[in-house]
Amino acid sequence: MDMEIDLKIYQLSHELRGHEDDARGICVCGNAGIATSSRDKTVRYWVPDPTDKRKFELSKTLLGHSSFVGPLAWIPPNDVFSEGAIVSGGMDTMVFVWNLSNGEKVHSLSGHQLQVTGVVLDDEDIVSSSVDCSLRRWRKGKVVESWEAHKSAIQAIIKLPSGELVTGSTDTTLKLWKGRTCLHTFAGHSDTVRGLAKMHGVGILSASHDGSIRLWALTGQVLMEMVGHASIVYSVDSHVSGLIVSGSEDWSAKIWKDGVCVQSIEHPGCVWDVKFLENGDIVTACSDGVVRIWTSHQERIADPVDLDSYVSQLSQYKLSRKRVGGLKLEDLPGLEALQIPGTSDGQTKIVREGDNGVAYAWNLREQKWDKIGEVVDGPDDGMKRPVLDGIEYDYVFDVDIGDGEPIRKLPYNLSDNPYPTADKWLLKENLPLAYRQQIVEFILQNSGQGGVALDSSFRDPYTGSNAYIPGGSSSMSEVSAKPSFKHIPKKGMLVFDVAQFEGILKKLTEFNNSLLSDSDKRSLSLSELEISRLSAVVKILKDTSHYHTSKFADADIALLLKLLKSWPLAMIFPVIDILRMLVLHPDGATVLLKNVEDENDTLMEMIKRVVTNPPLPPNLLTGTRVVTNLFKNSRYHYWLQKHCSEILDAFSSCYSSPNKNLQLSYATMILNYAVLLIEKKDHEGQSQVLSAALEIVEEENIEVDSKFRALVAIGSLMLDGLVKRIALDFDVENVAKTAKASKEAKIAEVGADIELLTKQI
């Protein structure tokens, strides 16, 4: 085949739709198909459509990972796998091997301590890389060797045609390996090496967080550096024609020829991965969940309708990212915000009017908002912003603290709260916390927020005290007289407020079709009217900007509760997921409460169904999240306190689940319970929550964030609650000591908080 590619413009050929979250990885399986991975925990295998050479159709969905899936590798057909196999690595630390003839998992390779970032084939072996800094070699389902390849996280691995392996790391280097021997270390990038690829007949390509792509000879010499992306470059690939493609957080895939960018393909989101097909077409994986194929061949370009649809997707995405006065347009309040009177003459407010941000000023005398005019757009996200330690910020300030000290760099984003920003910076720079007031005022003045006075009900996440407001009276002398804790006590409730509504509706429809096709269960299926009602419920939940005015009918809630009671156990988790979001809606929570306060307590019935043997992980996950979200509404606090013991007993097995998401959901529920029962001064309840939190932190295979939240619960209960003596009896000193020795900074910090508490008897 003639592989010469002329520099025609690449255009959209086909979209592979099916993933319900970010599409993360791509594996080209020769001419047989394409495998893709996603944050939705699946691997999907797509094969060419026999009726249309432009298109691919979904052949198999591979389910087994408990967290998002990243790297993929293809095992071509052989004596063992007649149709080949796929190797996948995930955030859940697992490497799986899937038989493509039936979609079954044939090997589960367990051993990495942290996320798997790369998988490659080395003859009949599999070699995997991980954030745990190690490489592992697997043979016939067993690990045969393992070694520390870098001192920092390994982010990528490839195998060269000559047989050597190459790794890229957070330590900014690449390493060339022959067996376990490092032949050469390639130094030159100024930040994490995130992606690697072979350049046919030339050398190695690397993509970096520093925004560049480099081409290296095997001797370590830099042959070429390609600079043009405006943000992190996640992936790179090459074609025998000499073309190179790269994917970046700047929403683009760029095509390079002889070191020059010849085309930039815009995407409606971050481009996580890029790969060439043998015919020169390009495959991209985007954070909008869609995998796209791009071609420079006229006969494979998509239909005009599909091209127009993509232009529309792109336009809508750009609009959603548009910034006004440093803020996202979509984050601005609507005109209804002008119904709220101002607090001082001249106070300004920016609201969204159509596609623009418009500024208004409060006229104290006439008690109305006067229109000032349209706000000029802030710099586009794709433009260069200040960078510190490889990370972009809205501002990087030079801070002169005097006394002959060197100038310090202080990074800040407008979306950040200045109070924790100041605290973190002072701790990082090893400066006295007494500077906090000046630093907050400095941030507000220099970021154009000099007139801002934040709500005095703000609780500092480190000390629990009210925020300092420039011009107000200082209470620093009182604060510094008390011990300073970094992470306790916890104030406020945590919730799970992000939902993939399209995925939920799709799953409900899939289950409903299954019931319709089963003569014994057809009576349980939904009518078209009921499906329409569910879609209307979801539409209300998606429109968060109108939560203060939108309403639910009793029939809406009745339908959800009917499904919870009548549908088969394996089918109710998407219904529970809708309930999880419904309880965050003011009116939804109110209407549901009618079904909780009567004799037939719907929520307790749901919990009992969810934990019925065998308890199914999707039901446990959505069930614990519903309970966790209830804490956000004070009208449910009495119910939560009343049923504390039953709820903790019902979900008590969750902390030992291998499902990391379930661990985190359960730990968050425990933390919310700690906050509530401290407020209620419930000694018995606090004791039960303390016991549950200690079980979590003592579990060996617990996820980091889950352990952190459980430790914060323990510390908060000891500091503000009534169970400090009980905690000491439970040997919490040893818990604190173990946590303090952790390599995870936040675990070590909260361990130090608890240790300090144990000494204040």
Side-chain angles (χ1 to χ4, degrees):
M1 182 187 291
D2 179 12
M3 298 315 297
E4 278 298 315
I5 303 283
D6 57 12
L7 292 180
K8 292 177 183 175
I9 295 297
Y10 275 79
Q11 296 186 66
L12 181 68
S13 174
H14 182 52
E15 292 186 334
L16 281 57
R17 290 183 172 269
H19 284 300
E20 296 171 9
D21 210 330
D22 294 44
R24 290 296 296 260
I26 302 165
C27 177
V28 177
C29 307
N31 291 314
I34 299 169
T36 58
S37 64
S38 168
R39 288 186 69 94
D40 68 9
K41 308 175 190 175
T42 70
V43 177
R44 294 176 191 250
Y45 183 61
W46 315 79
V47 296
D49 184 337
T51 64
D52 189 336
K53 62 183 178 182
R54 296 173 300 181
K55 297 183 178 180
F56 284 74
E57 57 187 19
L58 182 61
S59 170
K60 290 179 177 66
T61 300
L62 311 178
L63 297 166
H65 282 285
S66 61
S67 187
F68 76 73
V69 193
L72 302 169
W74 179 52
I75 301 175
N78 56 29
D79 293 341
V80 180
F81 303 114
S82 59
E83 295 182 32
I86 295 293
V87 184
S88 62
M91 173 68 96
D92 57 10
T93 75
M94 298 298 295
V95 177
F96 291 147
V97 181
W98 309 86
N99 187 341
L100 282 177
S101 62
N102 56 16
E104 295 294 321
K105 191 193 321 175
V106 291
H107 290 305
S108 297
L109 311 180
S110 173
H112 281 298
Q113 301 302 305
L114 295 169
Q115 177 185 354
V116 178
T117 53
V119 287
V120 293
L121 299 181
D122 191 10
D123 296 326
E124 294 185 0
D125 295 346
I126 296 168
V127 181
S128 56
S129 64
S130 169
V131 173
D132 66 14
C133 308
S134 75
L135 295 180
R136 284 179 172 259
R137 180 179 296 276
W138 312 86
R139 188 172 299 153
K140 296 180 180 177
K142 306 286 185 182
V143 66
V144 291
E145 61 177 347
S146 171
W147 70 98
E148 185 182 83
H150 290 259
K151 293 296 184 183
S152 297
I154 305 171
Q155 298 288 356
I157 183 171
I158 57 170
K159 184 189 176 187
L160 300 178
S162 51
E164 296 92 346
L165 298 174
V166 183
T167 53
S169 169
T170 300
D171 65 12
T172 76
T173 71
L174 294 71
K175 288 182 183 288
L176 180 67
W177 300 89
K178 191 167 186 68
R180 295 177 59 157
T181 304
C182 179
L183 301 178
H184 190 76
T185 299
F186 302 70
H189 280 296
S190 61
D191 206 335
T192 297
V193 176
R194 188 61 176 266
L196 296 171
K198 298 164 280 194
M199 182 72 180
H200 303 272
V202 182
I204 305 161
L205 285 162
S206 59
S208 172
H209 284 202
D210 65 15
S212 74
I213 302 112
R214 290 186 176 222
L215 175 61
W216 309 78
L218 295 187
T219 58
Q221 179 187 358
V222 178
L223 303 175
M224 193 186 300
E225 184 175 16
M226 289 154 272
V227 178
H229 281 293
S231 191
I232 292 170
V233 188
Y234 288 117
S235 52
V236 65
D237 197 26
S238 72
H239 190 260
V240 292
S241 64
L243 288 184
I244 293 168
V245 64
S246 55
S248 168
E249 197 172 61
D250 66 6
W251 326 334
S252 76
K254 292 187 183 293
I255 302 166
W256 310 80
K257 179 73 172 175
D258 299 326
V260 176
C261 180
V262 294
Q263 187 183 349
S264 186
I265 305 174
E266 291 183 299
H267 282 67
C270 162
V271 181
W272 285 111
D273 201 7
V274 289
K275 289 287 190 294
F276 276 106
L277 297 176
E278 288 186 11
N279 62 12
D281 287 357
I282 292 169
V283 190
T284 59
C286 183
S287 62
D288 68 349
V290 183
V291 177
R292 295 178 174 86
I293 299 175
W294 308 85
T295 189
S296 61
H297 296 271
Q298 191 65 37
E299 69 275 13
R300 294 202 290 273
I301 294 173
D303 296 330
V305 173
D306 293 331
L307 293 176
D308 289 345
S309 172
Y310 183 69
V311 170
S312 176
Q313 291 174 50
L314 205 55
S315 175
Q316 288 175 11
Y317 181 74
K318 286 181 176 179
L319 188 61
S320 75
R321 303 286 291 191
K322 184 176 179 181
R323 297 178 78 87
V324 175
L327 301 171
K328 285 185 187 176
L329 179 66
E330 64 179 6
D331 289 344
L332 294 176
L335 285 167
E336 69 274 3
L338 299 179
Q339 295 172 8
I340 302 170
T343 56
S344 60
D345 194 43
Q347 178 189 349
T348 59
K349 183 176 283 190
I350 303 173
V351 299
R352 184 179 67 251
E353 290 187 22
D355 294 344
N356 298 304
V358 179
Y360 286 79
W362 179 245
N363 186 324
L364 188 62
R365 177 182 295 178
E366 299 183 24
Q367 288 288 298
K368 69 182 182 71
W369 290 99
D370 292 333
K371 188 171 184 176
I372 300 173
E374 187 176 324
V375 180
V376 178
D377 293 352
D380 186 76
D381 280 31
M383 294 179 67
K384 284 287 185 183
R385 297 193 298 156
V387 176
L388 182 65
D389 298 329
I391 301 172
E392 289 188 346
Y393 294 92
D394 291 332
Y395 298 94
V396 176
F397 302 120
D398 287 328
V399 182
D400 183 2
I401 61 174
D403 298 327
E405 290 283 332
I407 298 292
R408 314 289 180 103
K409 298 288 186 183
L410 168 57
Y412 177 67
N413 287 317
L414 284 162
S415 58
D416 293 340
N417 191 307
Y419 303 102
T421 298
D423 286 339
K424 289 176 185 175
W425 183 76
L426 290 168
L427 289 166
K428 176 178 178 287
E429 296 290 341
N430 199 26
L431 293 170
L433 287 174
Y435 284 151
R436 181 174 189 258
Q437 299 179 13
Q438 295 97 306
I439 295 301
V440 169
E441 189 166 14
F442 176 92
I443 290 171
L444 292 173
Q445 292 293 341
N446 287 279
S447 60
Q449 303 176 86
V452 173
L454 295 192
D455 186 348
S456 60
S457 66
F458 173 86
R459 302 290 287 182
D460 183 277
Y462 299 102
T463 65
S465 62
N466 290 339
Y468 164 73
I469 299 171
S473 60
S474 169
S475 59
M476 278 301 292
S477 57
E478 299 171 33
V479 173
S480 38
K482 299 177 182 177
S484 177
F485 298 103
K486 188 155 188 183
H487 295 290
I488 58 174
K490 174 73 179 74
K491 302 294 180 183
M493 304 298 183
L494 297 173
V495 294
F496 294 95
D497 58 359
V498 176
Q500 296 291 327
F501 285 112
E502 301 308 318
I504 292 170
L505 284 177
K506 185 178 176 183
K507 185 59 70 175
L508 283 169
T509 304
E510 177 189 316
F511 286 158
N512 196 55
N513 291 338
S514 175
L515 293 171
L516 280 169
S517 62
D518 186 335
S519 57
D520 294 333
K521 297 178 180 175
R522 191 171 298 154
S523 62
L524 300 176
S525 63
L526 295 165
S527 66
E528 287 189 19
L529 181 62
E530 287 174 321
I531 291 175
S532 174
R533 185 175 284 281
L534 281 180
S535 297
V537 167
V538 166
K539 186 176 181 182
I540 293 172
L541 292 174
K542 286 171 73 174
D543 187 9
T544 54
S545 62
H546 289 91
Y547 267 30
H548 60 296
T549 56
S550 54
K551 302 287 183 184
F552 289 95
D554 287 341
D556 296 331
I557 310 301
L559 175 58
L560 288 171
L561 299 182
K562 183 185 90 168
L563 296 180
L564 280 179
K565 293 176 182 177
S566 63
W567 268 25
L569 206 56
M571 294 185 176
I572 61 171
F573 66 87
V575 185
I576 304 174
D577 221 15
I578 293 178
L579 199 65
R580 164 176 71 92
M581 300 305 292
L582 184 89
V583 301
L584 295 177
H585 187 289
D587 187 64
T590 300
V591 178
L592 178 66
L593 197 60
K594 299 174 188 175
N595 297 276
V596 174
E597 293 176 331
D598 62 17
E599 292 179 7
N600 300 315
D601 187 333
T602 304
L603 284 175
M604 282 311 300
E605 286 179 12
M606 178 207 76
I607 290 170
K608 287 170 184 174
R609 269 208 93 189
V610 160
V611 299
T612 299
N613 283 328
L616 305 176
N619 291 348
L620 289 173
L621 178 63
T622 49
T624 50
R625 286 181 171 179
V626 168
V627 176
T628 301
N629 284 3
L630 287 173
F631 286 89
K632 192 71 174 176
N633 191 314
S634 60
R635 298 179 68 181
Y636 283 88
H637 285 180
Y638 171 75
W639 182 89
L640 287 161
Q641 184 181 6
K642 175 184 173 184
H643 294 289
C644 173
S645 182
E646 293 171 84
I647 291 170
L648 294 183
D649 286 347
F651 292 116
S652 60
S653 64
C654 293
Y655 76 92
S656 58
S657 167
N659 186 317
K660 307 294 186 185
N661 290 326
L662 181 52
Q663 290 178 10
L664 182 63
S665 180
Y666 176 68
T668 308
M669 184 181 80
I670 294 298
L671 180 53
N672 281 357
Y673 253 125
V675 174
L676 174 65
L677 298 177
I678 289 168
E679 179 189 320
K680 299 293 184 184
K681 296 182 171 54
D682 183 336
H683 184 274
E684 183 180 347
Q686 288 179 33
S687 301
Q688 292 172 325
V689 173
L690 175 68
S691 177
L694 285 166
E695 280 185 325
I696 294 172
V697 299
E698 288 167 1
E699 170 66 26
E700 286 186 11
N701 299 314
I702 203 73
E703 184 259 350
V704 170
D705 284 334
S706 303
K707 178 174 283 191
F708 174 72
R709 291 182 182 185
L711 286 165
V712 172
I714 293 166
S716 299
L717 287 164
M718 291 176 66
L719 179 64
D720 279 357
L722 307 167
V723 293
K724 185 173 180 181
R725 175 55 61 187
I726 297 173
L728 291 169
D729 290 343
F730 276 134
D731 196 20
V732 77
E733 292 169 281
N734 194 46
V735 169
K737 183 180 177 183
T738 303
K740 194 177 173 186
S742 172
K743 292 179 182 177
E744 293 287 340
K746 62 184 181 182
I747 299 289
E749 289 164 358
V750 73
D753 284 350
I754 296 172
E755 185 180 68
L756 183 56
L757 276 171
T758 64
K759 295 173 180 176
Q760 298 171 2
I761 301 174

